[in-house]
Amino acid sequence: MRRIVLPLILTGLASANFATADEKTVLDDLRQPIGSLSLKEAIVIRSGEGEPLRKPENLAARNVVEDPEGVRMALSRVIKAPHGAARYRICHNPLYFEDPNMERCGEGFGIWTDAVSATRLFGRTAIVPYLMAVNAPDSKVRALPLCPSCQAFDSSVYVPVPDLHGVTAESIAVVGLIFLIP
């Protein structure tokens, strides 16, 4: 093995191109003393030819929405938010088992919080065929807004909107389970 590897390394070193005189001057220009550097020149990003690059378009500014409910203002009195998360439209796949009041608003039921959460989980499990027919798993839905402080979402976030496709899928699932489990 040494007889094969050693000649390959030696031929690679012999054929390697070392820096030319022009490349050495470029490298010497890059190795300036720290005192000669300034932040004013460092902010300008230049291309290989030395021309300043143009500033890219702010694509995130298109998604900024207004805050008519004053959610950010309500939160700023209680919590100092480090960023403007409430101002951007966020879409995600459907969350069939989300409990928005508990997860987003911090609503709890004392020692019964786990029992209420489990009841809601098992209740939502029974209507999963309906929920999947209304919002397919690969579809995108708009995220709920941030919960205002000391408030909670109403029952419309828990009760799905009546839909013919959803009712059909749920009834087929129920009839199928009736025939499956005698």
Side-chain angles (χ1 to χ4, degrees):
M1 185 74 173
R2 289 183 190 171
R3 292 181 185 170
I4 297 171
V5 174
L6 190 58
L8 288 175
I9 293 173
L10 292 176
T11 57
L13 288 175
S15 64
N17 294 330
F18 292 103
T20 62
D22 293 333
E23 291 172 344
K24 286 182 181 179
T25 58
V26 170
L27 289 174
D28 290 338
D29 289 342
L30 292 175
R31 294 183 187 127
Q32 298 174 2
I34 194 84
S36 68
L37 300 177
S38 71
L39 289 178
K40 184 177 181 181
E41 294 174 10
I43 322 177
V44 179
I45 301 172
R46 301 189 180 276
S47 67
E49 291 81 33
E51 300 172 5
L53 295 177
R54 61 184 181 87
K55 190 174 181 181
E57 180 186 354
N58 186 358
L59 299 176
R62 292 186 205 163
N63 293 330
V64 174
V65 293
E66 296 300 320
D67 188 18
E69 296 93 19
V71 173
R72 209 166 143 71
M73 205 52 138
L75 281 176
S76 66
R77 287 187 220 122
V78 179
I79 302 168
K80 296 296 180 193
H83 51 78
R87 302 182 63 212
Y88 295 99
R89 295 184 183 108
I90 299 173
C91 293
H92 53 76
N93 292 352
L95 302 172
Y96 301 124
F97 297 100
E98 180 187 26
D99 189 353
N101 283 330
M102 191 175 294
E103 295 169 7
R104 295 174 185 256
C105 302
E107 179 185 76
F109 297 95
I111 62 170
W112 303 107
T113 301
D114 292 337
V116 170
S117 180
T119 304
R120 287 181 179 165
L121 172 78
F122 292 124
R124 299 284 285 187
T125 303
I127 61 169
V128 164
Y130 178 87
L131 296 172
M132 290 179 75
V134 173
N135 290 323
D138 61 344
S139 67
K140 298 292 182 201
V141 294
R142 180 102 186 257
L144 292 172
L146 290 178
C147 184
S149 59
C150 301
Q151 294 183 13
F153 292 109
D154 59 356
S155 63
S156 65
V157 296
Y158 292 103
V159 180
V161 179
D163 184 62
L164 183 61
H165 296 295
V167 171
T168 305
E170 184 69 29
S171 60
I172 289 171
V174 168
V175 170
L177 283 174
I178 289 172
F179 283 119
L180 184 67
I181 304 170

